[in-house]
Amino acid sequence: ASDVYKRQDPQRAFTQQALASGTDTDVGIGILFNYVPEGLLVTTVFADSAAAEAGIQRRDMIVAIDGRPIDPH
């Protein structure tokens, strides 16, 4: 990540980095992901994010959040 991202609020930095990458993915806990039939496929975990602290890794599949199944549609 560039220095400009490191100087800002981490959540804003994640959002701006995602927008700059040109991907159509969502950010929130510090990940980029793609919707797939099975759930959410993690494509990027940002350093020093809540996701990184929780141990989420690239290629993890998120199938539920707070016990609720992911609806990829």
Side-chain angles (χ1 to χ4, degrees), residues 31-32 41-46 51 55-61:
I31 63 171
L32 297 178
L41 177 63
V42 177
T43 57
T44 303
V45 179
F46 294 103
I56 295 175
Q57 298 180 358
R58 184 173 186 260
R59 296 190 186 111
D60 279 354
M61 183 70 62

Side-chain angles (χ1 to χ4, degrees), residues 5 14-25 32 34:
Y5 293 125
F14 297 142
T15 302
Q16 288 183 344
Q17 189 169 9
L19 292 172
S21 72
T23 60
D24 292 327
T25 57
L32 297 178
N34 290 324

Side-chain angles (χ1 to χ4, degrees), residues 1-23 27 32 44 46-49:
S2 73
D3 288 338
V4 84
Y5 293 125
K6 293 177 184 176
R7 289 190 300 256
Q8 299 177 22
D9 167 55
Q11 183 62 43
R12 183 176 174 149
F14 297 142
T15 302
Q16 288 183 344
Q17 189 169 9
L19 292 172
S21 72
T23 60
V27 295
L32 297 178
T44 303
F46 294 103
D48 302 320
S49 67

